[in-house]
Amino acid sequence: MKLLSMIITLVALPVLVRAAAAPTVGDARAFMDRAEAELLKMTVMQNRAGWVEETYITDDTELLAASENERVIKRTTELIEEGKRFESLKLPADLRRKFLLLKLSLTMPAPKDANLREELTQVAASLDGAYGKGKYCPGGDKEKCFGIDDLDERLAKSRDPKEIAEMWAGWHKVGAPMRDRYARFVELSNQGARELGFADTGALWRSGYDETPEQYSAELERVWTEVAPLYQELHMYVRKKLIQKYGSVAERKDGMIPAHLLGNMWAQEWGNIYDVVAPPAAPPSYDIGEILQQRKTTAKQVVQYGEGFFRSLGLETLPDTFWERSMFTRPADRDVVCHASAWHIDLDRDVRLKVCLHDTTDDFVTVHHELGHIYYYLAYRKQPFLFRNGANDGFHEAIGDAIALSITPEYLKKIGLIETIPPPEADLPLLLRTAMDKIAFLPFGLMIDKWRWEVFSGQVKPTGYNKAWWQLREQYQGVAPPVDRTEADFDPGAKYHIPANTPYARYFMARIYQFQFYRAMCRAAGYMGPLNRCSVFGSKAAGDKLEAMLEMGQSKPWQEAMKAMTGEDRIDASAMVEYFQPLLTWLREQNKGEKAGWTVAADPTKAGR
């Protein structure tokens, strides 16, 4: 028996040696090919479940979406773990990049424990659903309730400070019930991130930019210092105009602006109150929203305007299924998530837009923005699965906005929305109107994830969520709540991207990138005049430059994609500063004698300081 055992061992030894042999590059590529094929199939089902959950909110659709999310997260986590056996290999650049992107692919990392992972996905789905079902019912009348899209429109048009404050406070109540669930979400997501080798979920997010998290954070602060003078001058001018309009309601000793008076539920963009701040001697201009309303433009026609712009650059016609399957208006018979979003359902040609459109200037611009995502999806759809994404998430947000910068008077005349082009002296008012969105947004775009990174790291505890939120809003935006806030409130939950777990620094980067892309396309089109007057509508040369970058997807570090498009290899605010330079000069003249800046207090939750 002993001899027989030795013989069996000797026979089996080569098999054991082969089994224990070090993995090869070929093994790594075969593993990755299988992983990408599997993840592609699962992601399509995840997208389908997510689409139904956001366009038909019920307890059942929330559970279905949570189940698909849990399945994808579980398998992705397993594949990341299995892929660790190839970490010691010297892999070709494309394959090495795929392993890195696989590891960074989860914006919601989950614990390996099945019960905890299921809990996380259900908490996430319930938070998203709670936002989508959120409503404000004035006076408690359940027959007259408003969703956020209706409130956005009402807030944009109302100039009654009491009514505005009531709408603001009413909507922000939707966040309070989310507080404990969000704290649990953070706890579970952080556990998943640590199991993947990251300090916390915020550290994982900041690792996705082809540089260290520390370098990434430093770059954001560097860019903010370059554009902060623009914001500070705009803040000073708008504050003065609001005080002239509303008197003591708008005036505060600390120099803050009450957040509800800026025409937007989160004071993130201020263009809706342009009529309050418009220069008194400005020549007559136009309001795209009024033009659309007068013409009884349908939601589909608004989207067709956007498609027409991209087609004028030589890009393809949108698939028939886009028009058949998209949601352009709020359905009358069910709850939906109205927050505008673009979807790449099958990661091929099934692209869709989900939005609740009204005839407003903002919605006209939003359509161009969202179609930027759609055309990015279509351009990189032939890349391998892990490269079917933007060069970084900021690129994805910037494409449509770069196009929207070409919504100039010349463009509007070409497509028949206006008959005459305003005179050159109308440039400053148009720049001011643009700055009320582009410049006003910058500090908000930065502080959202600064708050969230501090929450994920544990620097901010659940007992201080709201205080920390308003501290950052005061520090960066110089805005204050219109009514007292406490830790019984959870104001971050009233902003879609928090309950939806969507990283937000991408939007700050996109505000900078879009001017870089826009300037590069203007140069490709041969335009030589002032940057703010450029429209690339109809330029095939600009379209070729754009599409060449879009087709790269995430196959190369974003710095290479940026260089291919602009000749620059880092985020650079100089194009934005160039665009707004005439306005900056004018604002400094208007602000002479005004008190600059604002004072940040120890307790930012008190409205009447």
Side-chain angles (χ1 to χ4, degrees):
M1 287 294 294
K2 187 174 181 180
L3 179 61
L4 180 60
S5 177
M6 290 177 62
I7 292 171
I8 292 172
T9 301
L10 289 170
V11 170
L13 189 59
V15 176
L16 293 172
V17 169
R18 285 198 300 275
T24 66
V25 172
D27 294 334
R29 194 170 289 281
F31 165 82
M32 184 55 70
D33 289 344
R34 290 193 301 272
E36 287 192 287
E38 185 178 359
L39 288 173
L40 172 59
K41 187 175 181 179
M42 294 176 73
T43 300
V44 172
M45 291 306 298
Q46 180 188 34
N47 290 340
R48 294 192 189 284
W51 175 264
V52 173
E53 186 265 325
E54 291 213 355
T55 59
Y56 205 109
I57 302 174
T58 68
D59 292 343
D60 290 332
T61 59
E62 285 183 11
L63 286 172
L64 289 171
S67 176
E68 289 300 324
N69 286 341
E70 193 274 336
R71 199 163 71 98
V72 171
I73 291 170
K74 175 180 181 291
R75 188 59 186 136
T76 303
T77 303
E78 290 172 350
L79 289 169
I80 292 169
E81 192 66 28
E82 292 171 24
K84 287 181 179 178
R85 63 194 177 99
F86 303 111
E87 287 181 348
S88 62
L89 294 177
K90 186 175 182 181
L91 300 173
D94 68 318
L95 189 55
R96 184 173 67 252
R97 184 164 183 79
K98 285 183 179 181
F99 275 98
L100 173 64
L101 294 176
L102 176 64
K103 191 174 181 180
L104 296 171
S105 63
L106 295 174
T107 57
M108 187 175 72
K112 294 175 184 176
D113 181 277
N115 291 331
L116 295 178
R117 186 172 60 244
E118 182 180 8
E119 180 187 358
L120 174 63
T121 54
Q122 289 181 358
V123 169
S126 75
L127 288 168
D128 188 57
Y131 185 93
K133 289 182 284 192
K135 290 188 173 55
Y136 164 55
C137 307
D141 184 351
K142 299 297 184 182
E143 300 300 316
K144 295 182 180 179
C145 296
F146 303 103
I148 187 58
D149 58 312
D150 294 317
L151 289 172
D152 278 345
E153 187 177 19
R154 286 169 172 267
L155 203 65
K157 296 176 179 177
S158 177
R159 297 296 177 260
D160 178 345
K162 183 180 178 182
E163 180 187 35
I164 294 169
E166 288 173 353
M167 286 191 287
W168 188 98
W171 174 253
H172 278 75
K173 288 179 181 178
V174 307
M178 302 180 194
R179 186 191 188 90
D180 291 342
R181 278 177 290 167
Y182 190 76
R184 181 60 175 159
F185 170 85
V186 168
E187 184 180 356
L188 292 169
S189 182
N190 273 345
Q191 182 174 333
R194 286 191 293 269
E195 289 175 4
L196 291 175
F198 297 92
D200 56 64
T201 300
L204 185 156
W205 288 2
R206 295 193 302 278
S207 298
Y209 296 94
D210 299 299
E211 53 194 343
T212 68
E214 294 75 21
Q215 288 172 328
Y216 174 66
S217 296
E219 281 289 272
L220 294 186
E221 285 297 331
R222 173 185 65 79
V223 174
W224 169 241
T225 60
E226 293 175 8
V227 295
L230 275 168
Y231 180 78
Q232 289 157 2
E233 293 291 340
L234 182 65
H235 182 282
M236 203 185 326
Y237 174 78
V238 170
R239 181 183 62 199
K240 176 178 68 174
K241 290 292 185 177
L242 287 171
I243 292 170
Q244 290 173 0
K245 171 75 173 177
Y246 295 113
S248 61
V249 173
E251 190 167 12
R252 295 170 55 99
K253 293 179 181 178
D254 56 18
M256 301 281 179
I257 297 175
H260 67 307
L261 297 179
L262 290 161
N264 173 274
M265 189 61 76
W266 309 279
Q268 68 180 62
E269 292 172 331
W270 306 345
N272 288 327
I273 62 158
Y274 174 72
D275 60 292
V276 176
V277 306
S285 187
Y286 55 82
D287 183 308
I288 297 174
E290 287 184 6
I291 295 168
L292 296 175
Q293 291 167 27
Q294 290 167 3
R295 298 187 176 203
K296 294 181 169 48
T297 310
T298 67
K300 182 177 179 179
Q301 288 170 332
V302 172
V303 179
Q304 287 172 330
Y305 278 122
E307 182 200 26
F309 198 117
F310 285 91
R311 289 184 61 190
S312 84
L313 301 180
L315 276 64
E316 65 184 281
T317 301
L318 291 172
D320 290 343
T321 53
F322 170 83
W323 302 102
E324 296 162 2
R325 299 170 183 173
S326 291
M327 184 188 87
F328 296 148
T329 58
R330 176 186 281 276
D333 61 343
R334 63 187 189 271
D335 287 324
V336 298
V337 176
C338 265
H339 184 87
S341 56
W343 293 66
H344 199 188
I345 299 292
D346 66 350
L347 279 81
D348 191 14
R349 287 181 59 77
D350 187 353
V351 291
R352 306 179 193 178
L353 177 60
K354 177 188 65 63
V355 64
C356 301
L357 290 173
H358 299 81
D359 288 336
T360 66
T361 300
D362 281 352
D363 281 355
F364 188 79
V365 174
T366 293
V367 162
H368 288 75
H369 169 88
E370 296 300 338
L371 290 183
H373 291 296
I374 297 292
Y375 276 97
Y376 213 162
Y377 297 151
L378 293 172
Y380 61 55
R381 70 181 187 272
K382 295 179 182 178
Q383 288 281 359
F385 170 76
L386 283 169
F387 293 157
R388 291 183 204 178
N389 209 337
N392 67 38
D393 52 9
F395 273 57
H396 234 306
E397 299 300 333
I399 298 302
D401 280 348
I403 295 299
L405 287 171
S406 282
I407 301 176
T408 62
E410 288 81 0
Y411 162 62
L412 295 173
K413 186 173 187 299
K414 284 179 181 177
I415 63 174
L417 281 183
I418 62 174
E419 295 181 0
T420 58
I421 297 173
E425 55 265 30
D427 276 12
L428 273 170
L430 287 172
L431 278 172
L432 177 59
R433 175 62 180 82
T434 303
M436 294 286 283
D437 286 340
K438 302 294 184 182
I439 300 300
F441 175 82
L442 291 170
F444 186 81
L446 194 58
M447 61 76 47
I448 292 282
D449 274 353
K450 277 186 166 291
W451 177 83
R452 203 155 27 180
W453 296 340
E454 291 177 0
V455 167
F456 282 132
S457 72
Q459 181 181 338
V460 170
K461 309 294 184 188
T463 53
Y465 277 170
N466 228 40
K467 183 177 179 180
W469 174 263
W470 283 105
Q471 282 175 333
L472 286 168
R473 296 200 67 179
E474 286 202 352
Q475 178 186 343
Y476 283 96
Q477 285 187 281
V479 302
V483 295
D484 286 353
R485 314 307 288 158
T486 71
E487 290 305 326
D489 301 302
F490 181 56
D491 293 332
K495 175 60 182 170
Y496 168 78
H497 300 76
I498 301 296
N501 193 48
T502 303
Y504 208 78
R506 61 179 67 176
Y507 300 104
F508 173 81
M509 295 187 299
R511 279 298 196 275
I512 309 300
Y513 290 155
Q514 64 188 254
F515 287 91
Q516 292 183 261
F517 296 159
Y518 171 68
R519 183 169 64 182
M521 287 191 289
C522 288
R523 288 171 175 171
Y527 178 79
M528 303 296 288
L531 189 56
N532 62 286
R533 294 183 190 173
C534 168
S535 179
V536 298
F537 178 76
S539 172
K540 298 295 192 294
D544 289 345
K545 181 172 277 288
L546 174 64
E547 190 157 36
M549 197 246 326
L550 299 182
E551 289 174 347
M552 294 171 66
Q554 204 171 12
S555 62
K556 302 289 184 183
W558 71 263
Q559 293 88 343
E560 293 186 32
M562 174 66 79
K563 193 159 190 176
M565 176 73 171
T566 69
E568 303 146 3
D569 61 2
R570 71 171 188 165
I571 184 170
D572 175 21
S574 67
M576 175 180 260
V577 173
E578 177 185 346
Y579 183 95
F580 286 110
Q581 189 58 52
L583 177 67
L584 179 60
T585 301
W586 181 83
L587 284 173
R588 284 174 173 159
E589 278 294 315
Q590 305 307 305
N591 291 335
K592 282 182 178 178
E594 290 293 314
K595 178 186 175 184
W598 55 86
T599 304
V600 178
D603 186 356
T605 59
K606 301 303 178 186
R609 290 200 317 272

